[in-house]
Amino acid sequence: MSARTLTNVVNDQTVALNALIYGYAGHSLVTPQHALQQIWWTEERINERVTTEFVRSRLQPHERERLTLPVGFGDLSDDTYIEWIMEKARRLFLVLVEIGEADRIFTVVDKSWDDDDLPLAMDDIEQLSLSNRRDNHANARFYHTQFTFLLRELREGVHIDYAPNEEVPLEHVMQLPVAVSLQAWSRVHLPKKPKEVYVRRRFPLGNAETPDAFEQDFILDVESARMVEHEHLAPVWASYTAKGAGYIVTNFVGQHTLRSFIDHRNPTQYQKLAKPDRRWLVLNWLHCLADAIATLHQNGFCHSAIRPCNILIDEHNAIAFSDIGSLETFQKDKKPDAMDVYIYGAPEAHTNSQSFDPNFAAPAPIVPSTKHTSMMSKSSSGSSNSSGSQRQKLTKVPTADFSGFNFGFKRSKPAPKQRSRVHETEKADIFSLGCVFLEILTFMLKKKPHDFVKHRTSKQRTNTGGKNSRTDSSYHVNLDKVETWMDIIEKASFENDDDAFRAVPHVLSLIRSMLSRAPMVRPAARDVRDRIFDILFNYTSIPTIHCGAHRHDIGLAASSRSDSDRASSIASLRTVSTMSSSSSDADTIRSGMTRVNSILNTYSDRTTLSGIEEDDGASIRTIEQATPPYVNASYESPRKAPIPPSSPTSPESPNFSLSSPFAHPTSSSRPSSSAKTKPWSKNKPFLLLP
């Protein structure tokens, strides 16, 4: 007889059996979800179960003959009883079968009730006279049993308010991400779809005194997040409320944060790639993140929390922001780190107006003397090129409640309160994005992140978030040391002959402008994205530039994209078809979350800073061009030609402007592998893109 080992005793089947025996076989991370198949009464299961044979088998012989007779109100319908049951009352019949009252289905049909009338209130259930036949608890059994068969499944773009006695059709997945900080976000799957994994995040809707204090904020922030769709922003696939908490479900399943990915040094998913593919991947990340931030700014949002811990990487090395940092709801399930906010924050966000000098360490032009703690840069038209205007928290626009079921109670919802935004600017986003870019390049050059932190740290006392420290490793305080680190990175790139490293000096030149102490000198997000695109196109032989189509740009010509009707302007925010009911109660299904332009108009008090001219037209200027062969077929976005160092628009010139348009280089201008010179070295001259 073979020996009993731990592997053949403790397995999925034995764990599941113990869970059933000892009563903890519900949703749990320790219970194998594949060994335990939970029964969910989905639409498909109900249709499979309730057949003509099933109905006849649950009735007495004399009752079966009645099935083929016309219904009791035959003057209004030509249906027979069996036809009514099969077409309109499958759920009602299952409920009656479950409580042992299958023959009462004829009373249900005579009252012309169907599944759309569920759930029934106690007054309606008493009309079936169930208690007269068996016991006094039959009505109560019907009331509670009906919710078992009223399963409302989550679908993409839907919001559901579940009643306390409803089941949420989600099952846990026995899988944990590598990043410890992500393990609080549970992995779930829909019934009978174990391979379609989603991430679920939970947010409290109130406190002990006011259980629904934050409910309006939750709904508002979910609707706001759905207004911006981008491949590198983790989407809100569905949302729901249940038992005092709000939940969002996303189909972007992160395994790492950018922080854990970099600190891990050798992530398995990264090591599986060939070395050239690793470098192309990292360079594509720069372009994808910039494209996502450009889309946010074009839609009237600031991110305000661009940090490595808020950037996710899935098992396929796809990268995305976990959420929009300026939406307060999505920050409640994260462990706050005030020091992290301080390290990646822009100088103007951590300096008072008296001590902030906008000209300090600025590369040329003179900035207007107006001093502001925060400088807003979104005009009322939604242009990403416009300058400072203060904005307020989004205010929810009243929308109709879409009811799928009536649970017999109503709730009065308080009016939402406006919330102020502090230190949330597009220019601050650019500074934080530049910090992230530099850490990504440090990782690409195989430099240790600890060495970078040690290099830029200065000995001075800081007090952040109630924590005292004798050292300061923030970017904005140590910009001179950050500059010397970029010199180290640039020198290291010369020592590598691989084609991908040719882009590093040009990207570092861009990062220097992004990390400028003066906000107005920093480029706009759209310019950052276009500059990175030009660098990858002109100085590398990267096979594919991800997000190269720039399909999220607002204002593109209708002929340039097949889906241009979705993004032609901010005013085209879509209103998805919805299910409505005139007698809707507080329990709602919001299908698609009605999106309206007036939400954006709640950004009020837009006062332009003195000395700053707005140019909305420059942000939507487009040029149609033939599709380059190396980008996705849908790409027809404008690009900028590289600027020679002697150009009057170079960073050394006081008239330097990153927003001015340039002509398109033809596709033949891109260096091909056959036309390129031999691998370059630090002794060979090269052209720096400003």
Side-chain angles (χ1 to χ4, degrees), residues 287 291 294-295 298 525-527 529-531 533-534 537 545-557 559-561 618-641 661-667:
H287 185 262
D291 193 43
T295 302
Q298 289 168 359
R526 189 165 178 174
D527 296 316
R529 178 202 63 192
D530 292 344
R531 288 285 303 282
F533 181 89
D534 290 339
F537 173 55
I545 300 180
H546 202 264
C547 294
H550 299 171
R551 65 181 69 251
H552 305 283
D553 276 357
I554 295 174
L556 293 180
S559 61
S560 63
R561 294 203 322 266
S619 66
I620 59 174
R621 194 176 288 118
T622 60
I623 303 176
E624 294 188 6
Q625 184 69 13
T627 304
Y630 63 96
V631 188
N632 298 336
S634 60
Y635 174 73
E636 294 186 16
S637 175
R639 295 189 291 105
K640 299 177 182 178
F662 303 104
H664 288 245
T666 60
S667 59

Side-chain angles (χ1 to χ4, degrees), residues 70-179:
V71 296
F73 50 96
D75 53 335
L76 299 177
S77 174
D78 296 332
D79 293 339
T80 62
Y81 283 99
I82 187 62
E83 290 173 344
W84 186 278
I85 295 172
M86 298 302 297
E87 296 176 5
K88 302 179 181 180
R90 291 175 186 257
R91 283 189 172 87
L92 280 165
F93 185 74
L94 280 174
V95 176
L96 292 171
V97 169
E98 188 70 16
I99 66 173
E101 300 282 349
D103 58 327
R104 307 306 295 172
I105 188 61
F106 297 103
T107 303
V108 169
V109 175
D110 288 340
K111 294 181 178 294
S112 71
W113 289 352
D114 55 33
D115 290 343
D116 291 338
D117 295 317
L118 292 174
L120 299 178
M122 289 298 294
D123 293 341
D124 296 327
I125 296 173
E126 290 176 356
Q127 298 181 32
L128 300 178
S129 303
L130 300 176
S131 58
N132 296 335
R133 295 175 57 83
R134 293 293 179 93
D135 54 66
N136 294 330
H137 301 290
N139 292 341
R141 290 206 312 273
F142 184 100
Y143 179 81
H144 293 293
T145 302
Q146 65 183 334
F147 293 103
T148 303
F149 302 96
L150 283 178
L151 193 67
R152 291 192 285 172
E153 297 184 68
L154 291 170
R155 302 184 306 276
E156 183 175 5
V158 167
H159 175 90
I160 299 177
D161 291 329
Y162 285 103
N165 46 11
E166 273 192 281
E167 287 287 338
V168 181
L170 289 174
E171 298 186 42
H172 277 281
V173 174
M174 192 177 61
Q175 175 186 354
L176 292 176
V178 179

Side-chain angles (χ1 to χ4, degrees), residues 216-278:
Q216 286 296 316
D217 293 339
F218 172 77
I219 298 298
L220 165 65
D221 287 345
V222 168
E223 290 182 353
S224 300
R226 281 179 169 153
M227 292 174 64
V228 186
E229 296 181 359
H230 194 279
E231 187 175 355
H232 300 285
L233 287 170
V236 178
W237 185 83
S239 60
Y240 67 93
T241 60
K243 299 179 180 179
Y247 298 85
I248 65 168
V249 179
T250 177
N251 55 0
F252 190 93
V253 184
Q255 297 296 327
H256 276 281
T257 64
L258 181 60
R259 168 59 55 218
S260 67
F261 192 91
I262 292 175
D263 291 343
H264 208 278
R265 294 294 298 162
N266 294 311
T268 304
Q269 63 201 69
Y270 185 72
Q271 292 298 319
K272 290 180 180 179
L273 301 176
K275 287 187 177 181
D277 293 337
R278 298 177 195 172

Side-chain angles (χ1 to χ4, degrees), residues 96 121-122 281 292 322 385-386 434 436 438 480 498 516 541 558 613 629 632:
L96 292 171
M122 289 298 294
L281 172 71
S322 60
N385 250 7
S386 57
V436 172
L438 187 52
D480 53 342
D498 189 85
S516 173
S541 59
E613 296 183 358
N632 298 336

Side-chain angles (χ1 to χ4, degrees), residues 557-568:
S559 61
S560 63
R561 294 203 322 266
S562 60
D563 60 342
S564 60
D565 59 317
R566 290 194 307 140
S568 59

